Amino acid sequence: MAGRQMDVLDCRGQRCPLPVIALARRLPELPVGTVLRVLADDPAAANDIPAWCRLRGQEYLGVAGADGYDVRRVS
Amino acid sequence: MAYLDAAAGAPPHPVARQALLAAQEDGWADPGKLYPQGRRARQLLDAARGAIADQLGVRADEVLFCASGTDAVQAAVLGFRAGATIVHSAIEHSALLHAVADRSAVSVPVDRLGRVDVAAFTAAVREPGVGVAALISASHEVGTVQPVAEVAAACAAAGIPLVVDAAQSVGRVPVPDGWAVLAASAHKWGGPAGVGVLVVHKGTRWVPPWPGADPAAPDQPGTRNLPALVAAAAALRAAGAEADAEARRLYPLVERIRTRVAASLDRAGFAVSSGSSCTSSTLRPSHVLEAMGVLSHGNVRVSLHRDTTEAEVDAFLDVLPGLVADLRAQAGVAGL
């Protein structure tokens, strides 16, 4: 991750689909290549964040600790 | 109001209404009794069982009646030995999943379209300790028709009995043979609610899971709603006669919905809308959509039936894209 920013989007306490909407708003504001860590504790986020990445052609990197999901902007 | 939720339950078929009223006149007595009213009820019960057996292409003594489709599918799996492992698809109805919650179970994944992985299913039923397998014939949430014949062949090769939950197929499309036990639900084919049908092929090592069931005549114990059974049989006969024509009429309408909805959602760049498939009581996403790896929000299930008209579908398609756009604008997510 050297030389790249790690942004964090804290969506804990929000019900899906709000975390995915927040992700969709935030990611385009970041430079291509940036990794965004989404924190979300709604159980549907574990399904919806990877699914959104696939639909939008962004890279889902996997879970990161409790309630964390890492997404890289690729386009 | 146009009703587009046939997967939850089809509107009653007109012949079901007629049969229900007629059977209420002389089908009210206990069919186990020998006085004339009881014998008349027995005749109606036997006729209903025979008609359903004919439609399903099975023997009348293989057809059992249950209090609901849920009871039928749960009894289908619970009639097998509790100690053995059950192999099932990841997208079975929750009624079945609840029934096997405290049993050893292997869940076989599905692809993005919700089709079960036949190779994985085949491998799973060959494992030691497996006693039964279960597959839904067509998904109640997304409509994907499952490869029942291929899975049945794999189960037969492994010597494992297959339970097929055919609630969404019976009365609409043929269900391939090769299963040991089949479960269905009359109100999915235009019969009344409260009629579950279980077919247990002869030679299956299945034991009625209900306390006090008579092994020789193992309908679910308790007085069945005989007029409803008669109506269910009449509706299935009628649905069976119309099934091909209805399929030819409805498939193009379903395709029209798919194409138009996908095109308008795609054009507007929709990925998420304000819907939710969370099971209302639990807030957990649908296990079916989860297994498919697709978004669990923003989905609408549309399912058609014999009363659905082309005009209703077109009216639905005319308003849906605008409604979704309005909702997205209200939620402030229009550009996402």
Side-chain angles (χ1 to χ4, degrees):
Chain A
M1 229 48 80
R4 288 196 173 147
Q5 278 181 284
M6 163 72 83
D7 282 68
V8 176
L9 187 62
D10 189 350
C11 301
R12 284 173 295 187
Q14 295 179 16
R15 286 274 158 78
C16 276
L18 295 178
V20 173
I21 292 171
L23 166 63
R25 279 214 177 94
R26 184 64 177 279
L27 202 65
E29 298 169 357
L30 304 174
V32 170
T34 310
V35 174
L36 177 63
R37 176 163 297 174
V38 184
L39 301 178
D41 51 12
D42 184 302
N47 175 74
D48 286 1
I49 290 174
W52 180 87
C53 291
R54 195 171 43 73
L55 286 171
R56 280 286 171 263
Q58 307 297 345
E59 187 182 0
Y60 174 66
L61 299 172
V63 294
D67 303 332
Y69 305 90
D70 284 353
V71 176
R72 190 199 315 273
R73 182 175 175 198
V74 295
S75 62
Chain B
M1 174 181 283
Y3 179 78
L4 299 177
D5 198 14
H13 194 287
V15 307
R17 291 199 190 96
Q18 294 161 10
L20 190 67
L21 291 173
Q24 272 165 348
E25 293 294 322
D26 59 355
W28 47 269
D30 180 347
K33 300 292 195 253
L34 295 178
Y35 37 73
Q37 295 88 341
R39 287 205 302 271
R40 177 64 187 135
R42 165 62 63 181
Q43 285 172 351
L44 288 173
L45 178 62
D46 291 347
R49 200 186 304 273
I52 287 175
D54 277 353
Q55 288 300 314
L56 298 176
V58 301
R59 291 165 43 164
D61 61 357
E62 294 177 318
V63 174
L64 316 183
F65 290 123
C66 304
S68 68
T70 295
D71 281 11
V73 75
Q74 294 188 333
V77 290
L78 294 177
F80 290 93
R81 193 166 58 82
T85 297
I86 178 168
V87 172
H88 61 75
S89 84
I91 59 155
E92 294 307 306
H93 195 281
S94 55
L96 185 144
L97 298 179
H98 288 315
V100 300
D102 59 357
R103 295 189 170 200
S104 162
V106 173
S107 178
V108 178
V110 298
D111 64 16
R112 294 264 181 250
L113 298 175
R115 190 177 191 274
V116 75
D117 182 335
V118 175
F121 207 109
T122 304
V125 293
R126 286 183 187 151
E127 291 293 317
V130 173
V132 61
L135 181 63
I136 195 164
S137 61
S139 169
H140 58 296
E141 285 198 33
V142 295
T144 308
V145 175
Q146 299 299 321
V148 172
E150 290 165 77
V151 165
C155 290
I160 299 299
L162 175 66
V163 170
V164 170
D165 171 4
Q168 295 294 343
S169 299
V170 169
R172 285 177 173 261
V173 291
V175 181
D177 207 354
W179 41 265
V181 178
L182 176 138
S185 178
H187 79 128
K188 309 290 192 192
W189 71 62
V195 178
V197 171
L198 196 55
V199 185
V200 181
H201 272 322
K202 288 295 163 196
T204 305
R205 298 176 76 171
W206 180 90
V207 178
W210 306 293
D214 176 357
D219 285 347
Q220 184 175 7
T223 306
R224 295 274 69 80
N225 182 347
L226 184 52
L229 297 186
V230 171
L236 183 57
R237 202 186 296 119
E242 296 166 351
D244 286 349
E246 283 299 293
R248 277 196 301 276
R249 190 177 72 85
L250 293 175
Y251 272 78
L253 291 178
V254 169
E255 203 46 48
R256 186 183 304 183
I257 295 171
R258 281 214 180 98
T259 314
R260 286 267 303 272
V261 169
S264 30
L265 296 185
D266 198 49
R267 207 162 41 239
F270 293 176
V272 183
S273 74
S274 56
S276 168
S277 71
C278 291
T279 312
S280 51
S281 56
T282 63
L283 292 176
R284 294 213 46 103
S286 144
H287 69 276
V288 173
L289 299 174
E290 213 168 32
M292 291 165 63
V294 299
L295 281 172
S296 66
H297 291 76
N299 302 286
V300 179
R301 179 178 74 177
V302 178
S303 45
L304 312 187
H305 52 89
R306 67 185 298 282
D307 295 338
T308 306
T309 64
E310 187 174 4
E312 284 178 339
V313 168
D314 285 338
F316 172 75
L317 289 171
D318 285 345
V319 299
L320 182 69
L323 279 178
V324 174
D326 287 351
L327 287 169
R328 289 175 57 81
Q330 283 167 26
V333 297
L336 299 181

